[in-house]
Amino acid sequence: MAAAEQKKSYEVVKNFKGVNTKANRTAIDKDEFSWLENAMPIGYANLKIIPTSSQVFDSGNVAVTFSDIPSFIGSVNIGNSDYVMVFQANGSLEVFNVTTNTKSVVKTAGFFSGSGISLAQWKNERALILDPQKGYFTWDGVNVVAVGSVGLIAVLTGGTGYTSTPLVTLSAPNDANGVQATAVATVTANVVTAITVTNQGSGYTAAPTVTITGGAGSNATAVASIESFATGTIFVNVLTGGAGYTNAANTVVTIAGGGGTNAAGRAIISSGQVQYVLMTNVGSGYTNSSNLTVTITGGGATTNATANATINSTPNVDIASFSGRVWIANARTVNYSAAGSYNDFSTVSSGSITLTDGTLHGNIQSILSANNFLYLFGDDSINVFSDVRVQTNGTTIFTNTNVSASIGSKRPNAVFPYFRSILFMNDYGVYALVGSTTTKISDSLDGIFANIDFSNPVFAGEVLINNVLCAAFNFRYNDTVFTNTQRYIQAVFFDKKWFFTSSQSTLKYITSVPVSGVLSLYGVANPAGIFNLYRLYSDSTSPISSIIQLALDPMGDPIRDKQALKLGVEATSGANTVAFFNATIDSEKGSSPSYSLASNIIWINNSGDQVYWTNTFGAQIGFATSGYNLYKTDAQQWGKYLGSTLKSLTPGFVINGVQYEHELRARF
């Protein structure tokens, strides 16, 4: 008597949930994936292959490339044009106008530092560029200007005979594209008593000369100071004011040593003492405070004043535009401009704050303006500035609240707004900050963090993929499973689900840019040393390598062996696309040989023989069906857990379900 046929069992996976690397492949839900690359789990029976990247061409159909190794990429909107700004390792800046499809060289090699650049935007008028060493610059779409601006102006001699307010003229800025500063005088009892800066100007690398004319008076003189955010500059602090100073014009401030050049100051005298030293040139290149000296001589003093100098040696960290001001972070200090100004850091409503929070264990790592707050990130803390307002005396106040005392990030380019939350990545997870609550959203990615190469930067941004707004984090990953190489991949998040993307070229840097109302990601890649500009997720017709690795499923009975019999894949392709797969049946024991799945049509004649077709060139051609197909194959594999791995180069298709046929075998 023939043995009874084993009962066949079936399993169907359609409720696609996203990737889960936290647990072993045998321990995740049957609707999750142990790896999901270039396939987006949009919803039930809708696992859609994503578009690949496309190289960007300019209006003349020439590929957009850059002259040197990129070190930072960002985007801004000026007027009605969106720009991708690419800073390079040789200190140059090149930009691509996404609106007009034109590329231009803004600054050549050596102008900026080769790394550490940060970028923000002032209204829709100009880009704000912060160089870690060389200071603060703006770009209005045409000219880059150093924001060295005029600070205080001190009256040295009040002059005589002024019956009306004289005209105050400040000399032009050192940068030809800068803005000339303006000031007005105050006259009391026929002498000039004060000069107030009304426009700080920009492009000053040294203090301007101050000329006072008119008003029917004469002999009033004044000196101006200069403000700069460059490192290697110095400021003089008066320790003792001395005594007996009668002649300010003959008082000499000498600054020596320190390894730098050009620093100069003017002693401001009142009541026979030096009150402070006004910096007429903050100098450059100062690094050594041990041999930096300041001496004050002359002026008829009976006792000389004493002073020392402080070197600004801490690199600039980050820049943001918030509440009608510019905010610049340096170490634990944040400087903020005056209300309504991007370049005034000296008048009464400007200022600075140094964080003394015990929760900020190091320096500020990044600042971000979003959702009517200014977020300040430390390694393991987050503060929020809000409610910025000017008091009746002209000074500015705001609230400073710590919202996270244990979680932060030192990855400044992986912090960005997403809907009404702030997403950020650190070296152990991805988090969402909503209001004052920080929540980890990357539990399902825990298995990959040990393989991320954090010696390379992490960049992130928002992007529409398949008409869904997603958050994408770009990093270098040590792939020990599929390629045995280090490669750049993107971890993409939406609707509480994660998946990975690749084949977007070797993109080290990415940035979000709106293109015709579609939020896109642009990136720079360097295959064979050519630095090309790419637009991610924009090409839905070119081949893309997808990897779909499903869970190992106990099929309802984890202690019983199963014999795999068949594998089926439901997929829908476009009108002119036919999907092809290579598939394996997997178990905890290993994987089967690879099976090829395709929707080929085989022609059979009346004798049962296959008919082959050739074209006019004698080449054999085949037929296949697009649209919905059930791809199926016999399969051989056994184990207590069964799953599958699907690989394809076909673009633009959708997997609607995965089906297994198996027979139950012995327990234990």
Side-chain angles (χ1 to χ4, degrees), residues 228-252:
S228 170
F229 285 95
T231 58
T233 58
I234 68 171
F235 299 91
V236 171
N237 314 296
V238 173
L239 302 177
T240 60
Y245 285 94
T246 58
N247 190 341
N250 290 334
T251 304
V252 178

Side-chain angles (χ1 to χ4, degrees), residues 6 54 120 193 263 284 297 305 507 650 653:
Q6 290 281 347
S54 59
T193 56
S284 62
T297 58
L507 298 175
T650 305
F653 68 92

Side-chain angles (χ1 to χ4, degrees), residues 62 83 104 212 314 319 344 431 455 472 483 486 488 522 529 583 624 649:
V62 176
Y83 295 88
S104 58
I212 303 170
T314 306
I319 189 168
D344 176 4
Y431 293 81
S455 66
T483 65
Q486 284 197 330
Y488 280 93
Y522 280 73
L649 295 175

Side-chain angles (χ1 to χ4, degrees), residues 186-261:
T186 300
V187 173
T188 305
N190 304 117
V191 299
V192 175
T193 56
I195 295 177
T196 303
V197 178
T198 54
N199 185 335
Q200 277 63 33
S202 62
Y204 288 93
T205 57
T209 58
V210 183
T211 304
I212 303 170
T213 56
S218 61
N219 298 327
T221 60
V223 63
S225 66
I226 183 69
E227 294 190 342
S228 170
F229 285 95
T231 58
T233 58
I234 68 171
F235 299 91
V236 171
N237 314 296
V238 173
L239 302 177
T240 60
Y245 285 94
T246 58
N247 190 341
N250 290 334
T251 304
V252 178
V253 178
T254 303
I255 302 169
T261 59

Side-chain angles (χ1 to χ4, degrees), residues 42-124:
I42 295 176
Y44 186 84
N46 190 1
L47 180 61
K48 190 168 186 177
I49 301 303
I50 65 161
T52 189
S53 62
S54 59
Q55 191 168 352
V56 176
F57 292 83
D58 65 15
S59 56
N61 203 33
V62 176
V64 176
T65 62
F66 299 94
S67 60
D68 196 56
I69 301 171
S71 61
F72 176 84
I73 181 173
S75 63
V76 295
N77 175 272
I78 300 176
N80 293 319
S81 293
D82 289 295
Y83 295 88
V84 176
M85 304 183 69
V86 180
F87 296 83
Q88 297 164 92
N90 65 2
S92 61
L93 168 61
E94 299 180 30
V95 303
F96 178 70
N97 186 324
V98 177
T99 305
T100 62
N101 288 333
T102 55
K103 198 202 82 160
S104 58
V105 176
V106 176
K107 286 296 179 182
T108 56
F111 187 86
F112 291 106
S113 297
S115 62
I117 297 293
S118 54
L119 187 67
Q121 182 168 320
W122 178 256
K123 302 178 181 177
N124 71 335

